[in-house]
Amino acid sequence: MYRAPVEEIAFTLKRVCGLEDLQDNPHHAELGDDLVDAILNEAGRFASEEIAPLNSVADKHGTPLVDGNVSTPPGWREAYHAWIEGGWNGLTAAPEHGGQGLPQMLSAAAMEMWNSGSMAFAIGPTLTIGAVEAMEKHASDELKAKYLEKLVSGEWMGTMNLTEPQAGSDLNALKAKAERADDGSYRVFGQKIFITYGDHDLTENIIHMVLARLPDAPAGTRGISLFLVPKFLVNDDGSLGERNDVKVAGVEHKMGIHGSPTCTMVYGDEGGARAWLIGEENRGLACMFTMMNNARLAVGIQGLGVAERAYQHALGYAVDRRQGKAPGDNSEGMSPIARHPDIKRMLLGMKSRTQVARAVCYACAHAIDMSNVVDNEVEQAFWNDRASLLTPIAKALSTDFGVEVASLGVQIHGGMGFIEETGAAQHLRDARIAPIYEGTNGIQSIDLVLRKLPLAGGEHIKGFIDELNGIASEVAASNRPEFGAASERLVAGIKDLEEATDYMLAALSEGRVADALSGATPYLRIAGLALGGALLCKGALRSSEEPAARMAERTLLARSYCETLLGETAGLRSDILLSAEAITAFDAEALAS
Amino acid sequence: MYRAPVEEIAFTLKRVCGLEDLQDNPHHAELGDDLVDAILNEAGRFASEEIAPLNSVADKHGTPLVDGNVSTPPGWREAYHAWIEGGWNGLTAAPEHGGQGLPQMLSAAAMEMWNSGSMAFAIGPTLTIGAVEAMEKHASDELKAKYLEKLVSGEWMGTMNLTEPQAGSDLNALKAKAERADDGSYRVFGQKIFITYGDHDLTENIIHMVLARLPDAPAGTRGISLFLVPKFLVNDDGSLGERNDVKVAGVEHKMGIHGSPTCTMVYGDEGGARAWLIGEENRGLACMFTMMNNARLAVGIQGLGVAERAYQHALGYAVDRRQGKAPGDNSEGMSPIARHPDIKRMLLGMKSRTQVARAVCYACAHAIDMSNVVDNEVEQAFWNDRASLLTPIAKALSTDFGVEVASLGVQIHGGMGFIEETGAAQHLRDARIAPIYEGTNGIQSIDLVLRKLPLAGGEHIKGFIDELNGIASEVAASNRPEFGAASERLVAGIKDLEEATDYMLAALSEGRVADALSGATPYLRIAGLALGGALLCKGALRSSEEPAARMAERTLLARSYCETLLGETAGLRSDILLSAEAITAFDAEALAS
């Protein structure tokens, strides 16, 4: 089924991604190894024992709309309630609202395991956590008092309502309307699509975060406000009042994550949905960005979680299934396919991609955490920049890797991989949404190139590359033959990243925006691949205190990644440097006419 | 919907892949341009008007098993009968059995369009054609007289029964049994899985080709015989007799191609299925290989067909859908997403991969056709080798490209791509089987390295590389600035192929089989990428008689492919040269324990 890789997760948190920096920080005096290990072990147990068995049940059952209400798969309610009783919902929320105030790194680790258990299950609470974060930063004390504790505990769940049919990636085009009411509240009208957990039967109330425009709002994104719209109105004593004017108009039939209801929501069909402003009028986008940045990392973690599950699934199959005779295998009968070189290549590719996704996501969480605990402005600016830089990489690389790993998992299963009963196909169908939502990976790449490369006048990315080179030098200095060609491949990969970065910075400074955008996707991939190689090597370098077999395993993984996947950077670099003219000249509209 | 790209197909057949060689050959005196164009136009019309509209209907409906019989989707029967009435089933079969005796190239072109219409539909006749080929070459005159005409016309359909639960890629492990009967016929017993179109209601009879072992057969693949097992026995007058002892025990629930029934077949549960030997006893594998080689090209064409459909689908969406503002777009409102550089990159990647798959599949069909028409042994050996070399590349590259193109298509659709109603996800779900069946792409790569590289003592592959270099020289000599960096990138790609080939040939001659197998997958990819670049460039070079806009379009496509995708070869080369030691050292079984 799924065995939570707690040891690997703890190692990656502590030795590769800097959890120790947080443990040494007075803000997290509570964060001893015992607590960390207890949380990881218990989250892993819950993910493997309580969530994982529901994954295929939910895939088959889906979330049908019955008499205007969404019904969740069998076992879903029980698992969710066990989950909130375990206190998992409030891991990172502020203690004054019932949260545990733990760092994002631990949340990332736990979320990885829940997503391995079931991505469709884990995404619901992810949205609630986003709503909590937006409210903690932007909501009035009154709203906080009324809603936050129950959202933090998970007694109620939250949603994010951005998308409309004509406004997906481009929020300028939002049309949902809001009107001011006499009592200081608002009325919201409009249709929203693709609302994850927009309706369900897991909790008694659902708190919707809705973007809409006031009548006198400026056009574009500067005229968008954020509103809280509860499914049931909440009385002053906290009890539930009447049903609000919001209903679910449909549930999408999707390629994957069938256990996660994706709803079309209609607000204000019967006079207006009662709504309360979060933050200031026309400043809704800023509030939403609070939710979106963390949501982007959370989606990266989905890619990671599914990758780990798919890898374990394929590994188990490859060890059991026997076909043919592997070279050098002198045992009786057919070989387990895990002994065939081509299957080994695929398994290594799955494992190394998964470990890269893990390290990149945790490194991103680390940067967010550091920005919250350092006490001087220079460091804070640095860690803010680092989190900003890593967020699009963590989102896009990990979700692309999630799809690649799940697809390799299908391939390793051969014909059985295409049969739904096997479960390998579900991982691929589930994983395929992650490169799309929370900003497509194309948009992440554009964000990286247009907004993140210029941070600190282009110096932040250069410092980042220097850090990678530092790791490469350590690999070289280690003089360990077990690293094979890892050192030279890592140096070459980072060099490709440097040249691509120079090209991008020059294009930006010369105003050649189309040139920069043409290479954005391969640029993000180079950056992710090089960072991944460095982090895998760092893990191999830092595992000298581990048992020798673990160190050998980590070194082999880093080496094989550098010798196989990292070679991609050469082609990506030449792509970036060469292809902008052809891409710009391509006239798709002429072909379609 | 789907518009058959007849002009592009005709151009690729004639100017890029050598249909003109066949038209000049006395064996195909009938093959004038008029006939070719008429066939392509009519096949395209049938595919777009009759088949394509059924594709999503079939995806939703599937092929349920009702009272022991498989029922096909609404409209399927009518379309199939229109199809056989059109004479499409016997395109390549011999005229003496009612076929049209046309070359594989034309069949490949027609099959592309039928697969674009619906892969699940087109795969049924593909199996029948395989059965026809095996019978034409190996069956007795008596069997031919009884079965062949109706298989050629499509009045009956055929199946291939190889796989058993324990014997997928490894046919040594086959267990199905056959016994000799007194009347010279046989009785077959056993279970077969993954039998495409194993049962259905399209035709009155189904003719199964079944591999089984005689009691005194040697172990392994030298003890396998091929049998013909009709669903209904056939009387001497050609009328149908009683039901044979074969039944469908189940239909798989698959990730895609829901319109194609994948059956578990049980033979001989009630005393033995009546069977007739095809070819000689214990020589069944040779007969089956006749079917399998062409089936491998046919599966490559499935990848191509789905890629073309997915590309058209995504192009249409990208031109209609408006979001954001593309750089340099001064028009009113939001830009069609087709104007955004990152979307252009994806569309170009889809279009160029599709055109590469087309050219590689047609080139493979050309080699098969040439081997059938040349009249001296040297040329025949050459074209046999060429077909052998190109078959695994056509199968694996085109099916990998099929998945990549379909996945890019989902990505271009954004959130809509994940919603089944849109249809983009179906292309990906359908395409995903093609890298698996008819020999996984890993097996194709192994076949290429172990069996095809040594052809003609390693000289065939070297000659092939020389041909690619010839095209690269033509590009350089053309001195057309529109080619951008295509010439240098093509030269570099072919150089990578050469170095990888030298490595592989050395590994083989030194008996380092595991080293060769470790790099088999990237080796096939380099070979396919380099060949693809050369064929795209050849198309651009040969289009000087076309309208200037078409020539510019082809040149831009070749250029962008060489500047973007072809760069992959650098990493693949270093992968092959470096990674064997790490891959060999990887012990998956230790990790799983």
Side-chain angles (χ1 to χ4, degrees):
Chain A
M1 204 62 181
Y2 165 66
R3 184 162 63 174
V6 171
E7 185 195 332
E8 191 62 39
I9 287 172
F11 176 87
T12 308
L13 285 172
K14 293 175 191 173
R15 301 286 178 270
V16 182
C17 296
L19 182 67
E20 288 166 340
D21 302 340
L22 299 173
Q23 293 181 299
D24 292 344
N25 189 289
H27 281 86
H28 289 295
E30 83 289 0
L31 210 60
D33 274 350
D34 287 354
L35 179 65
V36 170
D37 294 344
I39 289 172
L40 295 180
N41 279 311
E42 184 52 25
R45 190 203 63 74
F46 194 88
S48 56
E49 294 177 14
E50 310 280 335
I51 304 177
L54 299 173
N55 196 39
S56 73
V57 177
D59 185 58
K60 287 184 195 77
H61 185 274
T63 57
L65 189 59
V66 182
D67 300 332
N69 295 297
V70 170
S71 122
T72 53
W76 223 236
R77 257 181 86 88
E78 294 76 7
Y80 181 76
H81 285 277
W83 194 80
I84 62 176
E85 276 157 33
W88 294 115
N89 204 62
L91 223 48
T92 56
E96 60 262 39
H97 303 117
Q100 299 186 46
L102 289 168
Q104 295 289 337
M105 288 191 86
L106 275 183
S107 167
M111 278 168 58
E112 175 200 321
M113 295 186 269
W114 297 324
N115 276 296
S116 290
S118 168
M119 180 173 156
F121 180 91
I123 192 175
T126 302
L127 272 295
T128 305
I129 292 165
V132 166
E133 283 166 0
M135 289 194 69
E136 280 182 340
K137 289 215 178 133
H138 304 286
S140 67
D141 289 342
E142 204 183 334
L143 288 179
K144 284 184 189 170
K146 204 163 189 173
Y147 293 96
L148 213 38
E149 201 172 311
K150 288 186 174 166
L151 283 169
V152 167
S153 72
E155 187 176 334
W156 297 341
M157 289 177 79
T159 73
M160 281 170 75
N161 290 242
L162 289 78
T163 306
E164 299 172 12
Q166 78 294 348
S169 303
D170 188 349
L171 294 175
N172 281 290
L174 279 186
K175 286 182 180 167
K177 285 182 192 159
E179 291 175 2
R180 297 180 189 88
D182 296 341
D183 61 356
S185 70
Y186 295 77
R187 299 292 177 274
V188 163
F189 306 84
Q191 195 195 59
K192 295 284 181 178
I193 62 169
F194 297 167
I195 307 310
T196 299
Y197 278 77
D199 192 53
H200 56 78
D201 53 13
L202 299 182
T203 57
E204 287 185 350
N205 206 2
I206 302 172
I207 312 304
H208 303 289
M209 303 282 142
V210 186
L211 289 183
R213 280 182 201 287
L214 286 160
D216 50 3
T221 55
R222 285 152 188 258
I224 295 172
S225 306
L226 179 64
F227 298 93
L228 180 156
V229 183
K231 176 176 176 180
F232 286 95
L233 300 180
V234 179
N235 299 320
D236 287 341
D237 65 359
S239 63
L240 295 188
E242 61 180 314
R243 188 77 147 78
N244 203 352
D245 183 9
V246 45
K247 59 177 175 247
V248 51
V251 176
E252 303 290 356
H253 176 214
K254 306 188 300 296
M255 184 183 185
I257 54 168
H258 294 164
S260 166
T262 302
C263 303
T264 298
M265 304 300 295
V266 174
Y267 293 87
D269 240 13
E270 292 166 24
R274 296 200 59 181
W276 286 267
L277 184 71
I278 294 185
E280 293 172 40
E281 288 184 353
N282 302 330
R283 297 295 306 269
L285 210 63
C287 306
M288 217 61 176
F289 270 129
T290 304
M291 296 169 73
M292 277 168 61
N293 261 328
N294 285 2
R296 287 176 173 188
L297 171 57
V299 171
I301 292 168
Q302 294 179 339
L304 159 61
V306 177
E308 174 65 34
R309 177 94 180 243
Y311 164 68
Q312 292 189 18
H313 202 149
L315 177 65
Y317 184 81
V319 166
D320 284 345
R321 171 76 172 170
R322 291 172 179 266
Q323 289 289 277
K325 201 77 188 170
D329 185 356
N330 299 316
S331 65
E332 280 276 303
M334 295 192 284
S335 306
I337 63 170
R339 286 183 201 158
H340 288 289
D342 193 62
I343 302 283
K344 289 189 184 192
R345 165 183 285 279
M346 289 194 270
L347 287 170
L348 273 165
M350 294 177 80
K351 187 171 169 62
S352 62
R353 281 180 178 90
T354 303
Q355 180 58 16
V356 164
R358 178 175 291 129
V360 171
C361 287
Y362 293 1
C364 181
H366 173 255
I368 295 168
D369 287 328
M370 291 302 288
S371 74
N372 290 328
V373 300
V374 292
D375 50 13
N376 71 71
E377 280 180 23
V378 175
E379 282 191 76
Q380 200 163 41
F382 173 84
W383 287 112
N384 273 330
D385 286 355
R386 179 55 53 92
S388 296
L389 178 72
L390 292 182
T391 296
I393 300 174
K395 196 278 183 181
L397 186 77
S398 304
T399 56
D400 281 344
F401 275 7
V403 173
E404 292 166 27
V405 168
S407 192
L408 285 168
V410 169
Q411 192 69 21
I412 286 177
H413 279 83
M416 292 303 295
F418 201 62
I419 308 298
E420 288 291 357
E421 197 186 357
T422 311
Q426 186 192 343
H427 303 316
L428 177 55
R429 289 189 290 96
D430 287 352
R432 189 60 192 83
I433 186 58
I436 294 173
Y437 59 16
E438 282 313 312
T440 63
N441 286 0
I443 286 173
Q444 303 301 325
S445 302
I446 292 168
D447 175 58
L448 176 64
V449 167
L450 293 192
R451 296 201 198 93
K452 307 305 169 63
L453 288 193
L455 288 173
E459 290 304 311
H460 190 83
I461 182 72
K462 288 179 184 165
F464 171 78
I465 292 171
D466 287 344
E467 291 175 37
L468 302 188
N469 273 319
I471 295 172
S473 302
E474 266 194 82
V475 177
S478 79
N479 268 324
R480 291 175 49 207
E482 297 85 354
F483 270 116
S487 169
E488 62 185 81
R489 298 313 302 164
L490 184 55
V491 168
I494 299 168
K495 186 100 195 322
D496 288 329
L497 172 59
E498 264 183 285
E499 287 183 27
T501 304
D502 290 345
Y503 172 90
M504 284 292 179
L505 289 173
L508 293 176
S509 75
E510 292 160 18
R512 294 184 283 112
V513 178
D515 287 358
L517 292 180
S518 296
T521 289
Y523 181 79
L524 186 146
R525 179 109 180 159
I526 290 196
L529 286 169
L531 171 59
L535 292 174
L536 285 185
C537 286
K538 187 176 174 189
L541 291 164
R542 297 290 181 275
S543 65
S544 53
E545 293 169 22
E546 309 278 302
R550 299 288 284 143
M551 183 166 178
E553 186 193 308
R554 289 207 175 88
T555 308
L556 186 72
L557 195 72
R559 174 189 177 175
S560 81
Y561 174 89
C562 291
E563 291 175 349
T564 58
L565 280 157
L566 191 53
E568 258 191 57
T569 60
L572 295 167
R573 187 229 331 120
S574 63
D575 179 347
I576 293 165
L577 269 55
L578 294 173
S579 69
E581 197 173 300
I583 289 172
T584 304
F586 178 62
D587 184 354
E589 290 162 278
L591 290 179
S593 62
Chain B
M1 205 61 181
Y2 165 67
R3 185 162 62 173
V6 172
E7 185 195 332
E8 191 62 39
I9 287 173
F11 176 86
T12 308
L13 285 173
K14 293 177 192 171
R15 301 284 178 271
V16 181
C17 296
L19 183 67
E20 288 165 342
D21 302 338
L22 298 173
Q23 292 181 299
D24 292 344
N25 188 289
H27 281 84
H28 288 295
E30 82 289 0
L31 211 59
D33 273 352
D34 287 354
L35 178 65
V36 170
D37 293 345
I39 290 172
L40 295 180
N41 279 313
E42 184 53 24
R45 190 204 64 73
F46 195 88
S48 57
E49 293 178 14
E50 309 281 336
I51 305 178
L54 299 173
N55 196 38
S56 73
V57 176
D59 185 58
K60 286 186 195 78
H61 184 274
T63 56
L65 188 59
V66 182
D67 299 332
N69 296 297
V70 170
S71 121
T72 53
W76 224 235
R77 258 180 86 87
E78 293 75 6
Y80 181 76
H81 285 278
W83 194 80
I84 62 175
E85 276 155 33
W88 294 114
N89 204 62
L91 223 48
T92 57
E96 60 263 38
H97 302 116
Q100 299 186 45
L102 289 168
Q104 296 289 336
M105 289 190 86
L106 275 184
S107 167
M111 278 169 59
E112 176 199 320
M113 295 187 270
W114 296 324
N115 276 296
S116 290
S118 168
M119 181 173 155
F121 181 89
I123 191 177
T126 302
L127 273 294
T128 304
I129 292 166
V132 166
E133 283 165 0
M135 289 194 69
E136 280 183 341
K137 289 214 179 136
H138 304 287
S140 67
D141 288 342
E142 203 183 333
L143 289 178
K144 283 183 188 169
K146 204 159 188 176
Y147 294 97
L148 213 38
E149 200 172 312
K150 287 185 174 166
L151 283 168
V152 167
S153 71
E155 187 176 334
W156 297 341
M157 289 178 78
T159 73
M160 281 170 75
N161 290 243
L162 291 76
T163 306
E164 298 172 15
Q166 78 294 346
S169 303
D170 188 349
L171 294 175
N172 281 291
L174 279 187
K175 286 183 182 167
K177 285 181 191 157
E179 292 174 2
R180 297 180 189 89
D182 296 338
D183 61 355
S185 70
Y186 295 77
R187 300 291 177 275
V188 164
F189 306 84
Q191 195 193 59
K192 296 285 180 177
I193 61 169
F194 298 167
I195 308 308
T196 300
Y197 277 79
D199 192 54
H200 56 79
D201 53 13
L202 298 182
T203 56
E204 287 185 350
N205 205 0
I206 302 173
I207 311 303
H208 304 290
M209 303 284 141
V210 185
L211 289 184
R213 279 184 202 287
L214 285 161
D216 49 3
T221 54
R222 285 153 189 257
I224 296 172
S225 306
L226 179 64
F227 297 93
L228 181 156
V229 184
K231 177 176 175 181
F232 286 95
L233 300 181
V234 179
N235 299 320
D236 286 340
D237 65 356
S239 62
L240 294 188
E242 61 180 315
R243 189 80 146 78
N244 202 353
D245 184 7
V246 45
K247 57 178 177 248
V248 52
V251 175
E252 303 289 354
H253 177 214
K254 306 187 301 296
M255 184 183 186
I257 54 167
H258 294 165
S260 166
T262 302
C263 303
T264 299
M265 304 301 294
V266 175
Y267 293 88
D269 240 13
E270 293 166 22
R274 295 198 62 180
W276 286 266
L277 183 70
I278 294 184
E280 293 171 39
E281 289 186 352
N282 301 331
R283 297 295 307 267
L285 210 64
C287 305
M288 215 63 175
F289 269 129
T290 304
M291 296 168 73
M292 278 167 62
N293 261 329
N294 285 3
R296 286 176 174 187
L297 171 58
V299 171
I301 292 168
Q302 293 179 338
L304 158 61
V306 177
E308 174 66 35
R309 177 93 181 244
Y311 164 68
Q312 291 190 18
H313 201 148
L315 177 66
Y317 184 80
V319 166
D320 283 345
R321 171 76 172 172
R322 291 171 178 267
Q323 289 289 278
K325 200 77 188 169
D329 185 357
N330 299 316
S331 64
E332 279 277 305
M334 295 192 284
S335 305
I337 62 170
R339 285 182 202 159
H340 289 288
D342 193 60
I343 302 283
K344 289 188 185 192
R345 164 184 286 279
M346 288 194 271
L347 287 170
L348 273 165
M350 294 176 80
K351 187 172 169 62
S352 62
R353 281 181 179 89
T354 303
Q355 179 59 19
V356 163
R358 178 175 292 127
V360 171
C361 287
Y362 293 0
C364 181
H366 173 254
I368 296 168
D369 287 328
M370 291 302 286
S371 75
N372 291 328
V373 300
V374 291
D375 49 15
N376 69 72
E377 281 180 22
V378 175
E379 281 190 76
Q380 200 165 39
F382 173 85
W383 288 111
N384 273 330
D385 286 356
R386 180 56 52 91
S388 296
L389 178 72
L390 292 182
T391 296
I393 300 174
K395 195 278 182 180
L397 186 78
S398 304
T399 57
D400 281 344
F401 275 8
V403 172
E404 292 166 26
V405 168
S407 192
L408 284 167
V410 169
Q411 193 67 22
I412 286 176
H413 279 83
M416 292 303 296
F418 202 61
I419 307 298
E420 288 291 358
E421 199 185 354
T422 310
Q426 186 191 343
H427 303 316
L428 177 55
R429 289 188 291 96
D430 287 352
R432 189 60 190 83
I433 186 57
I436 295 174
Y437 58 18
E438 283 311 313
T440 64
N441 285 0
I443 286 173
Q444 303 301 324
S445 303
I446 292 168
D447 175 57
L448 175 63
V449 168
L450 294 192
R451 297 201 198 92
K452 307 305 168 64
L453 288 193
L455 288 173
E459 289 306 310
H460 190 84
I461 182 71
K462 287 178 185 165
F464 172 77
I465 293 171
D466 286 345
E467 290 175 36
L468 303 187
N469 273 320
I471 296 172
S473 302
E474 267 195 81
V475 177
S478 79
N479 270 324
R480 292 175 49 208
E482 298 85 354
F483 270 115
S487 169
E488 62 184 81
R489 298 312 302 161
L490 184 55
V491 167
I494 299 167
K495 186 99 194 322
D496 289 329
L497 171 60
E498 263 182 285
E499 287 183 27
T501 304
D502 291 343
Y503 172 90
M504 284 294 178
L505 289 173
L508 292 177
S509 75
E510 292 160 19
R512 294 184 283 112
V513 178
D515 287 359
L517 292 180
S518 295
T521 289
Y523 181 79
L524 186 147
R525 180 111 178 156
I526 289 196
L529 286 169
L531 171 60
L535 292 175
L536 286 184
C537 286
K538 187 176 173 188
L541 290 164
R542 298 289 181 276
S543 65
S544 53
E545 293 167 22
E546 309 278 303
R550 298 288 284 145
M551 183 165 179
E553 187 192 306
R554 290 208 174 88
T555 308
L556 186 72
L557 196 71
R559 173 187 178 175
S560 82
Y561 174 89
C562 292
E563 291 174 349
T564 58
L565 279 157
L566 191 53
E568 257 191 56
T569 60
L572 295 168
R573 188 225 336 116
S574 63
D575 180 345
I576 292 165
L577 270 54
L578 295 172
S579 69
E581 195 173 300
I583 289 172
T584 304
F586 178 62
D587 183 355
E589 290 161 277
L591 290 178
S593 61

